[in-house]
Amino acid sequence: FLATTIAQATARSLFPIPGPVQLNCPFSEPFFSDEKATALPYVPTNYFFPKQTLENPEKWAEEFGKIEKGVIILGGDANAPEAKALSEKLGWPIFPDIISSYRELRDDRTISHYHHILKSLELKTDVVLHLGGPIVSKILLQWMIKAPRLIHVAEHPKRCDPHHSVTDRIICTPNTFCQQLAGLISQKEESWFAMWKDLSTRAKEQCAFSPLSEPGVIQWAQKMATPGTALFFGNSMPIRDADMFFFPTSPCGPIFANRGLSGIDGNIATVAGIAHHMPVIAIMGDQTALHDLNSLAQLKKTNYPVKLIIINNGGGGIFSFVAIGKRKDVLDPYFAAAHDRTFAHAAPMFDLSYSTELEQDADVIEVFTNREENLMLHQQFDEIMKTSLQEIVKI
Ligand SMILES: Cc1ncc(C[n+]2csc(CCOP(=O)(O)OP(=O)(O)O)c2C)c(N)n1
């Protein structure tokens, strides 16, 4: 029972949608026995997964070959390095979501700052090719659903279409899809791609923040990223800021986040799990860290070191960005759950070293920010970005 159940759970964690699997283990009464358990002979099942292929790639290649203005969006867990070959052939840019496993590659087909471009300018595309799972950027989601054609490719049949806008749903492994098509399409010209690249280069020039600000912490992590270290971005603003501002200049380690689960729970436990396999730099908000405080005990037991950076803005800073942010009377007590706690005592309670300096070598680093200033910083940044990108379009 145990061997085949574990084999099945492992298989389910990999296919069709990679992710955690919960096993419920009911213990039979009286819960404890002195009797020695006897190991029975066991045979675990070996699983082999299908690689979904495209039935009629020629039809799609012919259609795509006629379209000049298209974009390739790599969503969560898209894991499609072959998108590069397809992008090169079609002359379509790639917008890689923070957890698409593509941003880590840092290749020249990437339009890193797509979020800022779409927020600043009114650009239109004829086709969106969305590979893999959901995306973090709401701005990108609102933009892509306006495209006359929205093609979603994933290897499972699950719907990932919150606005009911998908026009074509293709069940196929995204990487195989790109590989099959790229081989059939002849080289197209690059002016559409070049426009996106120019805009992205200009957008990048605007992204410089103090390391004491929330986006600045993300940019600090960008500097520290190495191929052998994983990155984890907590829910709420850290994952959103990472989606907007985390663009390593050379290939980096895998990027993790708890997307699609209920939310801010279990973030520290997730980091501990990753650190059984490789070192981790983790960034999360104070509420997220408080919600999973007892998992700090796990950080002492990992095979590899963890640097846990807690951005403490005294509550849920994300709520300042939504409509309720204007109602300070209800915002602080009921949404932000404002507090003035620090982690200075929590870290040593679990034998973890603690600092408030990013550059220090400590297990837990707490960076203090301010929710209102953070909102203003983002708003001012958006304005500067808009002006700067609009200048280019006028030229
Ligand atoms: C288990 C759970 N409870 C509540 C929420 C709602 N929620 C979303 S973001 C957030 C605030 C998170 O605050 P923090 O970790 O400090 O990050 P910040 O917003 O400051 O970036 C809350 C409570 C959730 N996502 N999950």
Side-chain angles (χ1 to χ4, degrees):
F1 168 77
L2 203 56
T4 54
T5 305
I6 291 172
Q8 197 212 6
T10 310
R12 285 289 299 275
S13 74
L14 298 170
F15 184 85
I17 303 176
V21 174
Q22 176 174 320
L23 291 179
N24 291 334
C25 304
F27 290 99
S28 49
E29 292 203 38
F31 306 133
F32 177 78
S33 162
D34 270 337
E35 256 176 54
K36 266 219 161 352
T38 44
L40 298 171
Y42 66 91
V43 186
T45 319
N46 292 316
Y47 283 82
F48 301 91
F49 307 125
K51 197 160 241 154
Q52 313 270 7
T53 56
L54 198 57
E55 247 176 35
N56 45 359
E58 293 77 13
K59 162 188 148 15
W60 291 101
E62 197 191 328
E63 270 195 49
F64 282 15
K66 292 182 199 146
I67 299 161
E68 187 205 341
K69 293 183 178 172
V71 302
I72 301 173
I73 294 175
L74 296 191
D77 298 322
N79 196 11
E82 290 294 333
K84 178 177 166 65
L86 185 60
S87 158
E88 278 166 357
K89 283 289 189 69
L90 287 168
W92 295 0
I94 295 180
F95 300 173
D97 182 83
I98 184 73
I99 51 165
S100 63
S101 313
Y102 196 87
R103 223 180 258 202
E104 299 144 24
L105 298 176
R106 202 58 213 103
D107 88 282
D108 57 358
R109 301 304 298 182
T110 294
I111 300 301
S112 50
H113 294 66
Y114 57 84
H115 175 100
H116 309 294
I117 300 171
L118 299 176
K119 201 166 183 183
S120 305
L121 303 172
E122 287 195 16
L123 297 171
K124 288 198 172 82
T125 183
D126 294 327
V127 172
V128 168
L129 174 61
H130 172 199
L131 307 175
I135 49 168
V136 169
S137 169
K138 200 170 164 186
I139 294 289
L140 176 56
L141 179 65
Q142 283 163 348
W143 181 76
M144 68 196 255
I145 62 173
K146 288 191 217 134
R149 193 94 183 266
L150 173 52
I151 303 165
H152 181 212
V153 182
E155 57 201 328
H156 56 79
K158 226 177 134 177
R159 192 158 67 164
C160 160
D161 183 18
H163 295 272
H164 310 277
S165 320
V166 169
T167 55
D168 304 78
R169 178 69 170 89
I170 300 173
I171 297 167
C172 180
T173 308
N175 205 41
T176 311
F177 176 88
C178 295
Q179 204 170 27
Q180 281 183 281
L181 280 193
L184 296 170
I185 291 169
S186 46
Q187 190 68 46
K188 306 250 307 292
E189 61 127 348
E190 291 266 276
S191 56
W192 167 248
F193 175 80
M195 176 199 79
W196 287 97
K197 205 68 188 170
D198 286 350
L199 289 167
S200 192
T201 306
R202 171 69 77 99
K204 185 176 169 203
E205 289 160 12
Q206 310 305 319
C207 297
F209 297 95
S210 150
L212 299 176
S213 67
E214 299 194 15
V217 174
I218 301 292
Q219 287 195 322
W220 170 86
Q222 182 177 290
K223 265 196 327 207
M224 303 302 288
T226 61
T229 301
L231 292 133
F232 176 87
F233 297 109
N235 293 54
S236 209
M237 287 310 286
I239 185 70
R240 289 178 174 78
D241 277 344
D243 196 46
M244 289 188 270
F245 303 117
F246 185 84
F247 306 108
T249 46
S250 52
C252 74
I255 300 172
F256 291 90
N258 273 359
R259 304 302 296 163
L261 294 173
S262 64
I264 61 168
D265 40 0
N267 277 223
I268 298 177
T270 305
V271 172
I274 303 165
H276 282 292
H277 302 277
M278 62 197 309
V280 191
I281 296 175
I283 300 178
M284 64 185 68
D286 49 277
Q287 292 280 27
T288 304
L290 283 171
H291 204 284
D292 197 21
L293 199 65
N294 55 357
S295 289
L296 284 177
Q298 301 302 323
L299 297 188
K300 269 280 148 204
K301 301 178 193 161
T302 57
N303 295 333
Y304 296 92
V306 172
K307 208 185 236 312
L308 172 60
I309 293 132
I310 301 174
I311 300 180
N312 189 347
N313 54 25
I318 196 166
F319 299 113
S320 304
F321 287 79
V322 292
I324 198 69
K326 292 194 185 84
R327 286 280 308 274
K328 187 106 178 103
D329 55 330
V330 286
L331 173 71
D332 281 1
Y334 302 117
F335 288 85
H339 65 86
D340 53 11
R341 288 182 196 94
T342 91
F343 291 80
H345 302 291
M349 179 179 166
F350 294 98
D351 296 325
L352 299 166
S353 54
Y354 169 89
S355 173
T356 52
E357 302 285 326
L358 266 181
E359 302 301 335
Q360 289 283 313
D361 187 17
D363 302 321
V364 176
I365 296 175
E366 187 168 18
V367 178
F368 292 96
T369 59
N370 176 290
R371 296 194 301 281
E372 280 170 19
E373 283 171 16
N374 185 45
L375 172 67
M376 266 156 45
L377 179 70
H378 279 81
Q379 287 172 337
Q380 282 163 2
F381 170 81
D382 284 349
E383 279 309 309
I384 293 169
M385 182 64 88
K386 197 172 182 172
T387 312
S388 173
L389 293 182
Q390 283 178 348
E391 263 171 27
I392 290 205
V393 174
K394 270 187 224 137
I395 292 167

